[in-house]
Amino acid sequence: MAADFSISQVAASLGLTMFVIGYGIGPMVLSPISELPQLGRAPVYMVTLLIFVALQMPTALAHNIGSIVVLRFLAGIFGSPPLATGGASLADVWAPEDRAVVIGLWGLAAMAGPAVGPILGGFVAQSENWR
């Protein structure tokens, strides 16, 4: 990406930085919305998931770093609700005696995804290209 856009490695990492910032800001707005009894969590999860998925194609096809930065920030915002309120959703579904194991497994998956994803992405980027 740095070579394609003629930018530094630091500037190339700005997309990841903005995703994490969006991931931190998103729950401040979207999590309280999911707690409204009239709305619930499922509609918030579904709408934000659709927006998150829709943002992936323009990000992959972006022709400049500015577009990638904005799109990654928005993807971070709309990708955050499951991480912020996922434990509460599991607590709604599982019995109290099963919650410790279920939330432990969910937490493991939540931590393993961001750790394993870049490793797999690195291999894919080496064999193909970053897009």
Side-chain angles (χ1 to χ4, degrees):
M1 184 161 76
D4 285 355
F5 294 144
S6 300
I7 56 174
S8 69
Q9 291 289 334
V10 173
S13 70
L14 192 56
L16 176 62
T17 303
M18 293 307 290
F19 183 86
V20 173
I21 290 171
Y23 222 63
I25 291 172
M28 289 191 273
V29 175
L30 298 171
S31 292
I33 292 172
S34 72
E35 295 298 323
L36 295 173
Q38 302 88 347
L39 197 57
R41 292 188 187 105
V44 173
Y45 287 164
M46 287 185 260
V47 169
T48 56
L49 176 65
L50 287 173
I51 295 170
F52 175 78
V53 170
L55 287 169
Q56 303 313 303
M57 189 57 71
T59 302
L61 300 174
H63 294 291
N64 59 50
I65 190 67
S67 300
I68 289 176
V69 167
V70 171
L71 290 165
R72 292 292 290 164
F73 177 72
L74 293 172
I77 288 174
F78 290 109
S80 65
L83 183 63
T85 55
S89 296
L90 293 173
D92 289 345
V93 174
W94 292 90
E97 57 271 8
D98 298 326
R99 283 187 195 150
V101 172
V102 171
I103 290 179
L105 292 172
W106 172 78
L108 178 67
M111 296 301 130
V116 174
I119 295 169
L120 296 176
F123 286 114
V124 171
Q126 280 182 340
S127 66
E128 297 294 327
N129 71 26
W130 70 273
R131 291 194 184 267

